[in-house]
Amino acid sequence: MFRILVSDKISEEGLQPLLNSSHIMLVNKNVADAGEELETADALLVRSATQVTEELMKKMPQLKIVARAGVGVDNIDVEAATKLGIVVINAPDGNTISTTEHTFAMMASMLRHIPQATVSVKSNEWNRNAFVGTEMRGKTLGIVGLGRIGSELAKRARAFEMNVIVFDPFLTEERAYKIGVTTASLDELLSTADIITVHTPLTKETKGLLNEKTLSKTKKGVYLINCARGGIIEEAAVIPLLESGHIRGIALDVFETEPPENTSLLQYEQVIATPHLGASTKEAQLNVASQVSEEVLAFFNGEPVTSSINLPTISKEVYEKIMPFYQLAKKMGNFVSQCMAEPVNEISVAYEGSVGELQTAAITKSLIAGFLSPRVASTVNEVNAGMIAKERGISFSEKISNETSGYENCLTVKVVGNKSVFSIKGTYIPHYGERIVELNGFNIDFYPDGHLLYIQHSDKPGAIGRVGRLLGDHSINIATMQVGRKQRGGDAIMMLSFDKAVTERVVSELNDLEGIVSVRTIDL
Ligand SMILES: NC(=O)C1=CN([C@@H]2O[C@H](COP(=O)(O)OP(=O)(O)OC[C@H]3O[C@@H](n4cnc5c(N)ncnc54)[C@H](O)[C@@H]3O)[C@@H](O)[C@H]2O)C=CC1
Ligand SMILES: O=C(O)CCC(=O)C(=O)O
């Protein structure tokens, strides 16, 4: 049973794909109240309220995936999750329109004083002079961050005949042109915009982006909006500028701490606020819950997740092509790791032929994970393999070539250890499967699976017979056997497979046989 702990309020209708599976169990409980559920949960579903810290994840030994039903993942320690081999996914666009509309509603409300006028009318006042507003038409809207929400907002602003200028260091001129916005430096935006709205993630670059210094460059009478993340506009820096009238209004959906701890900013008449409601519509909540449910279900079924924060994203079509190589690479890494009982410094992989056209980075991660798994006590998978390899001083590299050496596709892995170098070549042949076709320069052909014995011996009469007899004496059935040599009478190798593991005692007896150089058990 795959157990999912749902820690925040998530649309039940959106969770249907998970609720419909008889192999999945959902428990609705906040992590703060969960006890035993923390120990058994395979997946954790959250919105923005649950703080997914390293400490929490360490209390969840079975945890494999954290799903954020929303965009921002700043409530999740993604770095710690990556280290622990936990996949983090989000729902990147399910709430884009709702948040855009909320931003637009905040802008309209602020410019026409709707919240303040509502309070006034409800207090039996009829004060039409106090609430003279500002038109949007002809005003310049400065958008900081032209991602999903920023670009949807730009479209709506243009429909209201506003000029839109944008600051986004990662925006290409081509995309800006397509959306119909003018790009600008931050300083240009600050000095020309009548209304500034921020739509970036909260990062070390965007934290306090609008601060005392940058805000002093804005036009007198500027309006500010933050429906992205608290802290992008520094709250303390706003207060003196509100008092002096430099900032005419500010609309906030998000705060430096939520709920706000320092409420002094909220006392100002020119401040309008909502309690992080950008994504709070039925539609957005259904969308984000459905998106993460489908993703968690795909993860449970061993299919690719398309919105992972810490895994390369792979479409279903690419996944189907990549999967055989992904598995082959994992087995090749695992095989070499078991063959080399020594510290390793370098792993290089060369992709030849059609496999080079796929996302080789993901295949290399799988190889590294396969290599590390017999050596690392903690979970190691493609999420944390690169990080763990680096921590252990293992460098890895890849080379891609269209050339082929007899096989339509081929992976050649070279591992450099403290004492030796090991090389292995593998291929995947449709309808035939994974094959290892070369080991340390010996041509061979075997299926890398199950219980194997890798024997190095001298190509002399009797060596193979002695191995067969000894195994027979122990009633051990050889399932398959392949032999390879470079030249007559020289060094040679045998690869044997068995239905069950060969014991250490038998391995030791095999090692003592005449003509046998070394024997290694490999379990894949
Ligand atoms: N209030 C709410 O309920 C919601 C808030 N959000 C928040 O809204 C924000 C935007 O979300 P999306 O548009 O979906 O994200 P996105 O990832 O599509 O767009 C972010 C944009 O910010 C730009 N950017 C990054 N660093 C920048 C910098 N230093 N200066 C200027 N631009 C920079 C990126 O290039 C990108 O174009 C996020 O912080 C997200 O968490 C999202 C949904 C709901
Ligand atoms: O779950 C929510 O309502 C918050 C949405 C949000 O802030 C986000 O998706 O980044």
Side-chain angles (χ1 to χ4, degrees), residues 82 312 333 344-351 360-372 380-399 412-416:
T82 306
V344 152
N345 313 305
E346 206 184 304
I347 300 176
S348 57
V349 49
Y351 295 93
T360 52
I363 304 176
T364 302
K365 287 270 177 66
S366 176
L367 176 99
I368 306 293
F371 180 85
L372 290 170
V380 51
N381 53 26
E382 51 285 8
V383 178
N384 58 5
M387 194 184 258
I388 295 179
K390 270 198 196 122
E391 272 172 14
R392 281 158 198 253
I394 303 172
S395 65
F396 53 93
S397 59
E398 45 174 79
K399 214 168 82 191
T412 305
V413 179
K414 188 173 144 202
V415 180
V416 180

Side-chain angles (χ1 to χ4, degrees), residues 47-48 68-74 91 95 228-229 254 276 279-280 285:
R47 275 175 67 185
S48 54
R68 159 76 165 102
V71 181
V73 287
D74 33 282
N95 59 26
R229 277 296 175 269
V254 288
H276 203 147
S280 290
Q285 286 316 305

